[in-house]
Amino acid sequence: MHEFYQMPLFVKLKVKNIEKSKVWYKNVLDFHSVFDFPDDKGTVSMTHLRGEKYQDLMLIKDEKVNASSSVIINLFSHNIHNIYQTALENKTSIIQEPTVTPWNAKELTIKDPDGYIFTITESIDSNKSFDCVIENVKGKFDRKE
């Protein structure tokens, strides 16, 4: 049984093939189906998927999908290495391999089967303070005049 909670924010994505997308989200991002919504013919037309708590997605079947690079969905993970490996095994389009960033994170950027872009983020040192991380970022991007 899935925990019920009011979702403070969730993303709806139009997809061409809900079953194919559900398999990809399960295999690559470890998202699980919360509920499938059938249309009047009994075919799944919308599905609610969940990763960790508050990582909720709604997939909506639509023949015309126009994924854009203007929106990038960011997901926090505790094991970016596993996601990277399963993405490779599932022939996922890798935009950026796991990369250490100045903001105390390792990030992986991938595309789902419909072209939506996801950046997976894992904290490197969870004991670092916000101020320490910001100082490090400022140091990397300050202009040298």
Side-chain angles (χ1 to χ4, degrees):
M1 182 72 175
H2 296 279
E3 178 183 358
F4 174 78
Y5 53 80
Q6 292 296 318
M7 296 177 287
L9 174 73
F10 65 94
V11 177
K12 292 181 179 180
L13 301 174
K14 292 181 179 181
V15 298
K16 290 181 183 174
N17 184 321
I18 283 189
E19 292 307 317
K20 178 181 175 183
S21 292
K22 280 174 58 174
V23 168
W24 185 88
Y25 281 93
K26 165 82 175 102
N27 290 345
V28 177
L29 297 179
D30 199 28
F31 272 58
H32 301 277
S33 181
V34 174
F35 189 78
D36 289 334
F37 300 91
D39 61 17
D40 55 356
K41 296 176 187 161
T43 305
V44 175
S45 60
M46 184 168 67
T47 189
H48 177 173
L49 301 178
R50 179 174 293 157
E52 293 185 26
K53 188 171 186 176
Y54 302 123
Q55 291 181 336
D56 291 87
L57 292 174
M58 293 285 193
L59 304 183
I60 302 167
K61 184 173 176 20
D62 196 325
E63 296 301 318
K64 297 177 185 169
V65 175
N66 187 13
S68 163
S69 63
S70 339
V71 174
I72 300 171
I73 302 164
N74 204 91
L75 295 173
F76 181 79
S77 171
H78 295 286
N79 198 334
I80 201 169
H81 177 74
N82 281 356
I83 293 174
Y84 178 60
Q85 290 304 313
T86 56
L88 291 173
E89 291 165 10
N90 284 271
K91 298 178 177 41
T92 298
S93 174
I94 309 286
I95 296 172
Q96 175 186 299
E97 293 184 357
T99 304
V100 173
T101 68
W103 44 91
N104 190 40
K106 186 183 289 186
E107 294 185 340
L108 162 69
T109 304
I110 59 179
K111 275 188 185 181
D112 85 344
D114 288 285
Y116 295 106
I117 300 172
F118 286 81
T119 295
I120 314 304
T121 302
E122 179 179 271
S123 181
I124 294 173
D125 181 355
S126 59
N127 294 318
K128 277 192 177 178
S129 71
F130 180 77
D131 291 337
C132 180
V133 172
I134 294 302
E135 283 303 313
N136 187 50
V137 171
K138 283 181 181 177
K140 299 284 184 196
F141 295 103
D142 281 345
R143 284 191 192 182
K144 308 285 188 229
E145 294 185 41

